[in-house]
Amino acid sequence: MRALTQDRYGWEHLRVGEVPDPEPGQGQVLVKVRAAGVNPYDWHYATGQPLVARAMMGTFTGPRPLVRGADLSGVVVAAGPGVTQYAPGDEVFGFGTGGTFAELALAEVGSIARRPVDLTHVEAAAMPMAAVTALQYLRAAELRAGQHIAITGAGGGIGHFAVQIAAAWGAEVTGVCGPRNAAMVRELGASEVIDYTKDDVTAGERRFDVVFTNAGRYSLRALGRVVVPGGLVLANDGSREGLLGPMPELMTAPLVSRMRPYRILNVSATTSGEDLGVLEGLVADGVLLPIVSATYPLERAVDAIRQVAGHGHARGKLVVTIS
Ligand SMILES: NC(=O)c1ccc[n+]([C@@H]2O[C@H](COP(=O)([O-])OP(=O)(O)OC[C@H]3O[C@@H](n4cnc5c(N)ncnc54)[C@H](OP(=O)(O)O)[C@@H]3O)[C@@H](O)[C@H]2O)c1
């Protein structure tokens, strides 16, 4: 099959080529990939940034698996031993294992769900990592109706889902984004939009119950200043590079939380098929819609990953179309 592969860190090592077809193991299905969402996760693997994360991404010199991509939407073509939930022909979306920028991909049955009937494969492929991360953060925050939440990176992958979910739950949403995305963020449910090129959300008199930071490289101390006493900072901006990236701030967050009048929370999103089902329900209810601003053929998947690298400026989601 054709796939975007990489045996060493660095953009120059990404190439589309032939690799052996994967075979489903216990509890896995083999999916013919129709579309695969692009995430900053793919940039981390492509470049091996931050360096400390290489311990989790593979070896110090190269990523594992060899095929890039995490999200997928497609059609089951084979079921591995022990799989009763899915059969060939079923249309699914979710998290692949072993890479999804490929004609075929494996997925654990617990990490996929049936494709929402209202969404195309391209739209469904835009959801898994970004929408599940948004949902798991807002749930961990126990966000309630009437609370005021500020969301940075509101026009990007996680942010545009978070704006919609928070608004659907009855929260008052302030979206922080660039001027290009302001109208979209308002349409998605934000009652107020802060254009970060003109105003600084961490300055001024505004106070929020929750600040959910996905971009902007704000210091947690600065964000803490704009939450109410007892408020919450959801620290999810992983865009820093270098040796340690965002790790020092995140590792000291529990200690800092004890010394300051606000809490800091970092959630490591899990590949939950159950949460994909929750999102499917929100789509069916008409309160959640993925915005896909561009699609790329497999041959140009690297260009798509570059768009979400570091301090990226993606609008909604970018999706690689495979077949
Ligand atoms: N915790 C987890 O398990 C988990 C899972 C997935 C991803 N992540 C992390 O989540 C972060 C966000 O991911 P994503 O998929 O949403 O990224 P994305 O799709 O690239 O979106 C980032 C958005 O931020 C906006 N932006 C850039 N600079 C900004 C600024 N100064 N202030 C406000 N917005 C700004 C960009 O557009 P404009 O500038 O044009 O508005 C873009 O829309 C990444 O750092 C990623 O590593 C964490």
Side-chain angles (χ1 to χ4, degrees):
M1 67 167 182
R2 289 178 70 68
L4 179 68
T5 66
Q6 177 188 24
D7 57 0
R8 295 179 79 79
Y9 298 114
W11 297 109
E12 68 277 20
H13 298 294
L14 286 153
R15 56 181 63 91
V16 175
E18 285 290 330
V19 294
D21 291 0
E23 281 182 25
Q26 184 80 27
Q28 294 182 331
V29 290
L30 182 65
V31 178
K32 181 174 165 55
V33 182
R34 300 289 308 278
V38 179
N39 293 285
Y41 173 92
D42 305 311
W43 156 65
H44 290 299
Y45 273 78
T47 58
Q49 289 285 343
L51 295 176
V52 70
R54 291 187 180 194
M56 290 175 295
M57 292 192 286
T59 67
F60 192 74
T61 55
R64 297 291 179 275
L66 297 178
V67 178
R68 299 277 60 76
D71 289 346
L72 62 77
S73 182
V75 183
V76 173
V77 290
V83 174
T84 53
Q85 302 92 321
Y86 297 102
D90 287 345
E91 306 220 348
V92 296
F93 79 125
F95 301 90
T97 179
T100 61
F101 296 147
E103 289 171 327
L104 295 167
L106 297 174
E108 306 289 333
V109 287
S111 299
I112 54 174
R114 286 178 194 277
R115 178 170 68 95
V117 289
D118 297 326
L119 299 185
T120 63
H121 279 294
V122 166
E123 290 170 327
M127 294 191 66
M129 186 173 296
V132 164
T133 303
L135 176 68
Q136 292 182 355
Y137 261 105
L138 296 178
R139 186 193 285 141
E142 297 177 4
L143 188 71
R144 296 185 305 278
Q147 286 192 315
H148 195 174
I149 183 171
I151 299 172
T152 80
I158 294 171
H160 92 290
F161 287 122
V163 167
Q164 296 178 74
I165 297 169
W169 289 358
E172 186 184 343
V173 179
T174 294
V176 182
C177 61
R180 254 175 3 114
N181 292 329
M184 177 187 84
V185 168
R186 226 177 252 286
E187 269 168 39
L188 294 177
S191 54
E192 180 192 28
V193 171
I194 295 176
D195 173 353
Y196 67 79
T197 65
K198 292 197 187 123
D199 292 310
D200 180 355
V201 65
T202 66
E205 298 306 312
R206 284 189 195 82
R207 294 293 175 267
F208 306 96
D209 298 294
V210 181
V211 174
F212 185 7
T213 182
N214 296 289
R217 298 183 187 165
Y218 301 97
S219 78
L220 296 182
R221 183 185 280 269
L223 293 167
R225 274 199 299 270
V226 292
V227 293
V228 298
L232 184 60
V233 175
L234 298 175
N236 187 49
D237 181 356
S239 68
R240 284 191 180 86
E241 300 170 48
L243 176 62
L244 298 175
M247 297 306 271
E249 262 197 337
L250 297 181
M251 286 172 76
T252 53
L255 184 66
V256 174
S257 285
R258 269 192 234 134
M259 298 185 311
R260 305 247 171 88
Y262 55 88
R263 287 180 302 134
I264 303 167
L265 193 62
N266 172 252
V267 173
S268 212
T270 58
T271 60
S272 164
E274 234 170 84
D275 281 346
L276 291 169
V278 172
L279 295 166
E280 197 269 331
L282 293 173
V283 170
D285 291 345
V287 295
L288 189 66
L289 185 69
I291 306 286
V292 178
S293 61
T295 60
Y296 294 73
L298 182 59
E299 282 63 31
R300 289 193 53 224
V302 176
D303 296 338
I305 301 173
R306 283 183 187 277
Q307 298 296 314
V308 296
H311 233 163
H313 297 282
R315 176 187 173 81
K317 291 290 298 181
L318 310 177
V319 172
V320 173
T321 51
I322 315 278
S323 51

